[in-house]
Each structure stands twice: as C-alpha cells, then as structure tokens.
Amino acid sequence: MKRAILEKAAVFWWCSALAALLALGGCATTGTAEGDDPLEPFNRTMYAIHQPLETYVARPLVDVYETLVPQVGRDIVSHFFNNIEDLFSGISGLLQGKFDKAGHDLGRVIINTSFGLGGIIDFASDAGIPRGGEDLGLLLAHWGVGPRPYLFLPLLGPTTVRDGTGMLIRAYASPVDWAVGNQSVAARNTLWGVGTVDAAAGGIRLSDSLGDIGMDRYTFIRSAYLQRRAYLSGDTKFGRIELDEDYDDGYSTPSSETPQNKKDATP
C-alpha cells in the first residue's frame, strides 16, 4: 500500500513539474495566435496520433460498451461519476465565492449520495437542482493562474496547462481511489475503466457532431475550446479570441440575455 501511495505521489509531482515547465515556456509569448498555441507543432503531432487512436481504439471500445451495457446501466455510470464532479464543482465554487453554485452542487451531492445509493440515481436533477459546472481549472483561473499554453492530448483532447493541472489534481484526489483503491485494486480499476469508456463515448459523440466543418479541424477544436474556457473563467479576451457576447456555455446566462436586459428591451 505504501509503495502504491509513493508511486502515485511520484507521478503527480512529475506531472506537476512538467506542467510548471510548460507554463514557464508560455510566459514569454505574446497575444498572437502563436502565443495562444506556442506548442502547435507538438500539439498537431499529438492530434495526428489521437485520430487513429480514436478510430481504432476508443470507438470500438465504446461500441462494445454501448452494445453490452443497456441505457439504464450507462445512466448509472454517468450519474455516479457526475456525482463526483458535483463534489469538486462545489468545492471549486466555495473557494471562488460562488456560494449559490456551491450550495446547489453540494446539495446535489448530499441528496444523490444519501438517497441515490451513492450517486447512481440522480434525484437532484429530478428535483430541479442545477449543476454548477465549476472545476479546478476554473478555480485556478479565479486566483489568477494563466491558461497558456494550449495542449492537445491523445484520447483526452484539448486542454491547457492550467486546466490539465486541475485535471491531474482532480484525478489524484478522486474519492474512488481513497474509498476503494486501498481495499480492492480490481474494483477501483474496474470503476475507472468503465468511467473512462463512458467519458470517451461523450467525446466521440461530440467529435461526430462536428461532421465536415469545411476547415482545419485542429484549428476549429482549439478555437472552440479556448473560447468556451475563456467564457467560463470570466475572461473578456483570451489571446486573439474575442468572446461573443451571446456565447452560451450551457450553464450560465450571457450578460446580453440577463432577465434585466430582457425586461429593458421589452417595448
């Protein structure tokens, strides 16, 4: 057990050190397109590696998963991991002073964990309690951590050093590891494996939704990701990407569509 903890700590600190080095490398960049993506040659190579991995590894696994596991089973998996995401979202919201969002998220966790058999049933959504949609990357942004440089990771997709560091912390501090890992490695690995395939299914559906976009897919994915993260973090400008005031992040109401603005616009 001690060896496993030490190995995990070593991986975590190694990844953190790598992230720090990449962040230092991005500090000297300017607000140009190259400044948003100073590692573009590396990222394009990673994207080229990602494409066959998605086609010949991830997609067949997702097809088997969706064939063997009925919809109700896939919903249970999604609810379980969404409950964990709500916990981290609540913590992130608290540390950002977003108490309404934090209250909703932590309320969801309490309801779904207590009455939803550990989160496998989503009673909170049925009760109309919204998800906050915060994460540790947004928490780092709130406290002044810059996002650059942009990264594309095979099978994981687009991220930044800031958001990737948040993902590392999120994975390292997962309740799955702390609650199950020391008792049953097989159960822990099974949970993570099923959760990973379930998440990959969402990524593949998103990839399929792009279709033939008529432009360089790498550039489109990068721009879409950076603009969405800029909106979520409250930035008014992200490198050269100006935010559309009507951009909808799926969680919040853009300022141009607030109830007060709508009221003022009414004849």
Side-chain angles (χ1 to χ4, degrees), residues 24-47:
L24 289 174
C27 288
T29 61
T30 65
T32 63
E34 291 77 13
D36 294 331
D37 190 5
L39 302 175
E40 183 171 351
F42 169 81
N43 285 330
R44 284 189 176 275
T45 299
M46 293 300 101
Y47 182 69

Side-chain angles (χ1 to χ4, degrees), residues 17 25 62-63 99 106 110 120 160 175 180 205 219 224 229 235 239 261:
V62 168
D63 289 342
F99 299 119
L106 296 178
I110 292 171
I120 65 174
T160 61
V180 181
R205 286 193 293 270
T219 301
R229 294 302 291 182
D235 293 342
N261 288 343

